[in-house]
mmCIF file of all heavy atoms in Angstrom:
data_model
loop_
_atom_site.group_PDB
_atom_site.id
_atom_site.type_symbol
_atom_site.label_atom_id
_atom_site.label_comp_id
_atom_site.label_asym_id
_atom_site.label_seq_id
_atom_site.Cartn_x
_atom_site.Cartn_y
_atom_site.Cartn_z
ATOM 1 N N GLU A 186 3.346 218.582 -42.909
ATOM 2 C CA GLU A 186 4.797 218.267 -43.210
ATOM 3 C C GLU A 186 5.087 217.958 -44.623
ATOM 4 O O GLU A 186 6.156 217.955 -45.058
ATOM 5 C CB GLU A 186 5.234 216.844 -42.394
ATOM 6 C CG GLU A 186 5.246 216.938 -40.998
ATOM 7 C CD GLU A 186 5.766 215.736 -40.294
ATOM 8 O OE1 GLU A 186 5.968 214.622 -41.002
ATOM 9 O OE2 GLU A 186 5.937 215.569 -39.047
ATOM 10 N N TYR A 187 3.987 217.911 -45.478
ATOM 11 C CA TYR A 187 4.106 217.482 -46.911
ATOM 12 C C TYR A 187 4.223 218.768 -47.768
ATOM 13 O O TYR A 187 3.461 219.687 -47.650
ATOM 14 C CB TYR A 187 2.948 216.608 -47.298
ATOM 15 C CG TYR A 187 3.126 215.307 -46.602
ATOM 16 C CD1 TYR A 187 2.342 215.084 -45.389
ATOM 17 C CD2 TYR A 187 3.938 214.287 -47.090
ATOM 18 C CE1 TYR A 187 2.565 213.876 -44.675
ATOM 19 C CE2 TYR A 187 4.142 213.056 -46.304
ATOM 20 C CZ TYR A 187 3.398 212.864 -45.176
ATOM 21 O OH TYR A 187 3.540 211.812 -44.497
ATOM 22 N N ASP A 188 5.188 218.774 -48.812
ATOM 23 C CA ASP A 188 5.264 219.824 -49.736
ATOM 24 C C ASP A 188 4.104 219.768 -50.653
ATOM 25 O O ASP A 188 3.819 220.859 -51.272
ATOM 26 C CB ASP A 188 6.592 219.741 -50.305
ATOM 27 C CG ASP A 188 7.691 219.641 -49.453
ATOM 28 O OD1 ASP A 188 7.778 220.589 -48.551
ATOM 29 O OD2 ASP A 188 8.723 218.888 -49.530
ATOM 30 N N LEU A 274 6.133 213.210 -60.729
ATOM 31 C CA LEU A 274 7.297 213.083 -59.791
ATOM 32 C C LEU A 274 8.431 213.802 -60.199
ATOM 33 O O LEU A 274 9.169 214.443 -59.462
ATOM 34 C CB LEU A 274 7.596 211.526 -59.480
ATOM 35 C CG LEU A 274 6.645 210.695 -58.832
ATOM 36 C CD1 LEU A 274 6.995 209.354 -58.712
ATOM 37 C CD2 LEU A 274 6.424 211.261 -57.302
ATOM 38 N N LEU A 277 7.887 217.510 -59.834
ATOM 39 C CA LEU A 277 7.898 218.023 -58.470
ATOM 40 C C LEU A 277 9.377 217.977 -57.850
ATOM 41 O O LEU A 277 9.709 218.953 -57.177
ATOM 42 C CB LEU A 277 7.008 217.093 -57.574
ATOM 43 C CG LEU A 277 5.548 217.321 -57.846
ATOM 44 C CD1 LEU A 277 4.685 216.182 -57.112
ATOM 45 C CD2 LEU A 277 5.004 218.665 -57.566
ATOM 46 N N ALA A 278 10.167 216.978 -58.167
ATOM 47 C CA ALA A 278 11.593 216.961 -57.829
ATOM 48 C C ALA A 278 12.318 218.169 -58.352
ATOM 49 O O ALA A 278 13.193 218.755 -57.660
ATOM 50 C CB ALA A 278 12.225 215.662 -58.310
ATOM 51 N N GLY A 281 11.956 221.196 -56.378
ATOM 52 C CA GLY A 281 12.512 221.055 -55.087
ATOM 53 C C GLY A 281 11.645 220.635 -53.984
ATOM 54 O O GLY A 281 11.888 220.729 -52.809
ATOM 55 N N LYS A 282 10.476 219.972 -54.415
ATOM 56 C CA LYS A 282 9.675 219.331 -53.423
ATOM 57 C C LYS A 282 10.301 218.116 -52.796
ATOM 58 O O LYS A 282 11.100 217.300 -53.512
ATOM 59 C CB LYS A 282 8.282 218.876 -53.916
ATOM 60 C CG LYS A 282 7.596 219.975 -54.792
ATOM 61 C CD LYS A 282 7.249 221.023 -53.928
ATOM 62 C CE LYS A 282 6.393 222.092 -54.791
ATOM 63 N NZ LYS A 282 6.057 223.318 -53.938
ATOM 64 N N LYS A 283 10.301 217.925 -51.486
ATOM 65 C CA LYS A 283 10.987 216.804 -50.821
ATOM 66 C C LYS A 283 10.158 215.740 -50.266
ATOM 67 O O LYS A 283 10.605 214.725 -50.100
ATOM 68 C CB LYS A 283 11.855 217.491 -49.730
ATOM 69 C CG LYS A 283 13.002 218.457 -50.252
ATOM 70 C CD LYS A 283 13.935 217.764 -51.020
ATOM 71 C CE LYS A 283 15.088 218.678 -51.537
ATOM 72 N NZ LYS A 283 15.966 218.080 -52.406
ATOM 73 N N LYS A 284 8.872 216.050 -49.826
ATOM 74 C CA LYS A 284 8.057 215.202 -49.129
ATOM 75 C C LYS A 284 6.678 215.176 -49.729
ATOM 76 O O LYS A 284 5.958 216.298 -49.761
ATOM 77 C CB LYS A 284 8.017 215.545 -47.709
ATOM 78 C CG LYS A 284 7.548 214.404 -46.790
ATOM 79 C CD LYS A 284 7.791 214.727 -45.290
ATOM 80 C CE LYS A 284 7.253 213.514 -44.357
ATOM 81 N NZ LYS A 284 7.610 213.822 -42.930
ATOM 82 N N LEU A 285 6.186 213.965 -50.318
ATOM 83 C CA LEU A 285 4.960 213.829 -50.898
ATOM 84 C C LEU A 285 4.053 212.897 -50.183
ATOM 85 O O LEU A 285 4.517 211.936 -49.701
ATOM 86 C CB LEU A 285 5.135 213.310 -52.359
ATOM 87 C CG LEU A 285 6.175 214.054 -53.205
ATOM 88 C CD1 LEU A 285 6.146 213.463 -54.630
ATOM 89 C CD2 LEU A 285 5.827 215.533 -53.323
ATOM 90 N N GLN A 304 4.470 202.760 -53.231
ATOM 91 C CA GLN A 304 5.376 202.846 -51.995
ATOM 92 C C GLN A 304 6.716 202.371 -52.269
ATOM 93 O O GLN A 304 7.615 202.786 -51.497
ATOM 94 C CB GLN A 304 4.781 201.995 -50.973
ATOM 95 C CG GLN A 304 3.325 202.523 -50.509
ATOM 96 C CD GLN A 304 2.989 201.902 -49.158
ATOM 97 O OE1 GLN A 304 3.487 202.188 -48.040
ATOM 98 N NE2 GLN A 304 1.994 200.979 -49.156
ATOM 99 N N TYR A 307 7.621 204.176 -57.131
ATOM 100 C CA TYR A 307 7.628 205.602 -57.246
ATOM 101 C C TYR A 307 8.354 206.297 -56.223
ATOM 102 O O TYR A 307 9.049 207.349 -56.442
ATOM 103 C CB TYR A 307 6.203 206.210 -57.225
ATOM 104 C CG TYR A 307 5.449 205.914 -58.548
ATOM 105 C CD1 TYR A 307 4.066 205.465 -58.455
ATOM 106 C CD2 TYR A 307 6.104 205.864 -59.728
ATOM 107 C CE1 TYR A 307 3.315 205.305 -59.609
ATOM 108 C CE2 TYR A 307 5.302 205.586 -60.851
ATOM 109 C CZ TYR A 307 3.953 205.233 -60.775
ATOM 110 O OH TYR A 307 3.213 205.015 -61.958
ATOM 111 N N ALA A 308 8.413 205.735 -54.975
ATOM 112 C CA ALA A 308 9.222 206.318 -53.884
ATOM 113 C C ALA A 308 10.734 206.235 -54.185
ATOM 114 O O ALA A 308 11.451 207.314 -53.990
ATOM 115 C CB ALA A 308 8.942 205.510 -52.635
ATOM 116 N N ASN A 309 11.326 205.175 -54.695
ATOM 117 C CA ASN A 309 12.590 205.077 -55.140
ATOM 118 C C ASN A 309 12.947 206.152 -56.273
ATOM 119 O O ASN A 309 14.045 206.714 -56.266
ATOM 120 C CB ASN A 309 12.939 203.701 -55.489
ATOM 121 C CG ASN A 309 12.990 202.671 -54.290
ATOM 122 O OD1 ASN A 309 13.118 203.088 -53.152
ATOM 123 N ND2 ASN A 309 12.771 201.369 -54.521
ATOM 124 N N GLU A 310 12.086 206.150 -57.175
ATOM 125 C CA GLU A 310 12.222 206.983 -58.355
ATOM 126 C C GLU A 310 12.287 208.498 -57.983
ATOM 127 O O GLU A 310 13.212 209.163 -58.365
ATOM 128 C CB GLU A 310 11.015 206.849 -59.331
ATOM 129 C CG GLU A 310 11.073 207.529 -60.646
ATOM 130 C CD GLU A 310 10.087 207.133 -61.687
ATOM 131 O OE1 GLU A 310 9.403 206.074 -61.424
ATOM 132 O OE2 GLU A 310 9.861 207.910 -62.624
ATOM 133 N N PHE A 311 11.413 208.921 -56.880
ATOM 134 C CA PHE A 311 11.486 210.304 -56.410
ATOM 135 C C PHE A 311 12.703 210.570 -55.671
ATOM 136 O O PHE A 311 13.394 211.646 -55.840
ATOM 137 C CB PHE A 311 10.355 210.429 -55.581
ATOM 138 C CG PHE A 311 10.091 211.890 -55.056
ATOM 139 C CD1 PHE A 311 9.849 212.843 -55.909
ATOM 140 C CD2 PHE A 311 10.096 212.221 -53.698
ATOM 141 C CE1 PHE A 311 9.680 214.229 -55.457
ATOM 142 C CE2 PHE A 311 9.938 213.398 -53.263
ATOM 143 C CZ PHE A 311 9.721 214.370 -54.179
ATOM 144 N N LYS A 312 13.284 209.585 -54.902
ATOM 145 C CA LYS A 312 14.425 209.756 -54.162
ATOM 146 C C LYS A 312 15.699 209.827 -55.091
ATOM 147 O O LYS A 312 16.575 210.682 -54.890
ATOM 148 C CB LYS A 312 14.650 208.618 -53.208
ATOM 149 C CG LYS A 312 13.735 208.651 -52.037
ATOM 150 C CD LYS A 312 13.879 207.336 -51.130
ATOM 151 C CE LYS A 312 12.902 207.390 -50.010
ATOM 152 N NZ LYS A 312 12.877 206.081 -49.186
ATOM 153 N N GLU A 313 15.696 209.071 -56.274
ATOM 154 C CA GLU A 313 16.774 209.203 -57.170
ATOM 155 C C GLU A 313 16.839 210.571 -57.881
ATOM 156 O O GLU A 313 17.899 210.957 -58.274
ATOM 157 C CB GLU A 313 16.633 208.046 -58.283
ATOM 158 C CG GLU A 313 16.828 206.651 -57.731
ATOM 159 C CD GLU A 313 16.505 205.575 -58.754
ATOM 160 O OE1 GLU A 313 16.086 206.038 -59.865
ATOM 161 O OE2 GLU A 313 16.653 204.390 -58.452
ATOM 162 N N MET A 314 15.679 211.260 -57.834
ATOM 163 C CA MET A 314 15.774 212.607 -58.463
ATOM 164 C C MET A 314 15.774 213.708 -57.505
ATOM 165 O O MET A 314 15.782 214.840 -57.875
ATOM 166 C CB MET A 314 14.416 212.756 -59.282
ATOM 167 C CG MET A 314 14.083 211.882 -60.343
ATOM 168 S SD MET A 314 12.508 212.057 -61.116
ATOM 169 C CE MET A 314 11.338 211.299 -59.964
ATOM 170 N N GLY A 315 16.158 213.338 -56.277
ATOM 171 C CA GLY A 315 16.466 214.435 -55.332
ATOM 172 C C GLY A 315 15.535 214.599 -54.222
ATOM 173 O O GLY A 315 15.674 215.361 -53.274
ATOM 174 N N GLY A 316 14.312 213.918 -54.335
ATOM 175 C CA GLY A 316 13.207 213.978 -53.420
ATOM 176 C C GLY A 316 13.702 213.136 -52.060
ATOM 177 O O GLY A 316 14.741 212.451 -52.073
ATOM 178 N N GLU A 317 12.885 213.129 -51.066
ATOM 179 C CA GLU A 317 13.364 212.502 -49.853
ATOM 180 C C GLU A 317 12.282 211.409 -49.458
ATOM 181 O O GLU A 317 12.700 210.302 -49.078
ATOM 182 C CB GLU A 317 13.438 213.590 -48.746
ATOM 183 C CG GLU A 317 14.568 214.560 -48.916
ATOM 184 C CD GLU A 317 14.760 215.507 -47.815
ATOM 185 O OE1 GLU A 317 13.775 215.605 -46.836
ATOM 186 O OE2 GLU A 317 15.579 216.423 -47.742
ATOM 187 N N GLU A 318 11.098 211.721 -49.437
ATOM 188 C CA GLU A 318 10.114 210.681 -48.920
ATOM 189 C C GLU A 318 8.746 210.778 -49.740
ATOM 190 O O GLU A 318 8.348 211.796 -50.137
ATOM 191 C CB GLU A 318 9.652 211.102 -47.444
ATOM 192 C CG GLU A 318 10.838 210.977 -46.475
ATOM 193 C CD GLU A 318 10.472 211.341 -45.005
ATOM 194 O OE1 GLU A 318 9.403 210.744 -44.623
ATOM 195 O OE2 GLU A 318 11.171 211.964 -44.307
ATOM 196 N N VAL A 319 8.271 209.540 -49.987
ATOM 197 C CA VAL A 319 6.873 209.422 -50.538
ATOM 198 C C VAL A 319 6.184 208.550 -49.564
ATOM 199 O O VAL A 319 6.479 207.311 -49.329
ATOM 200 C CB VAL A 319 6.934 208.749 -51.893
ATOM 201 C CG1 VAL A 319 5.633 208.491 -52.394
ATOM 202 C CG2 VAL A 319 7.561 209.652 -52.910
ATOM 203 N N HIS A 320 5.016 209.038 -49.015
ATOM 204 C CA HIS A 320 4.132 208.243 -48.164
ATOM 205 C C HIS A 320 2.888 207.973 -48.768
ATOM 206 O O HIS A 320 2.444 208.974 -49.745
ATOM 207 C CB HIS A 320 3.979 208.884 -46.824
ATOM 208 C CG HIS A 320 5.288 209.032 -46.045
ATOM 209 N ND1 HIS A 320 5.491 210.017 -45.041
ATOM 210 C CD2 HIS A 320 6.369 208.325 -46.112
ATOM 211 C CE1 HIS A 320 6.652 209.843 -44.567
ATOM 212 N NE2 HIS A 320 7.273 208.804 -45.139
#
Side-chain angles (χ1 to χ4, degrees):
E186 292 184 356
Y187 294 93
D188 302 313
L274 290 172
L277 291 172
K282 307 298 184 186
K283 298 296 183 183
K284 194 169 182 179
L285 308 179
Q304 294 196 74
Y307 288 145
N309 290 338
E310 192 174 337
F311 186 60
K312 290 175 184 177
E313 290 172 0
M314 293 179 288
E317 293 178 358
E318 296 180 44
V319 172
H320 297 157

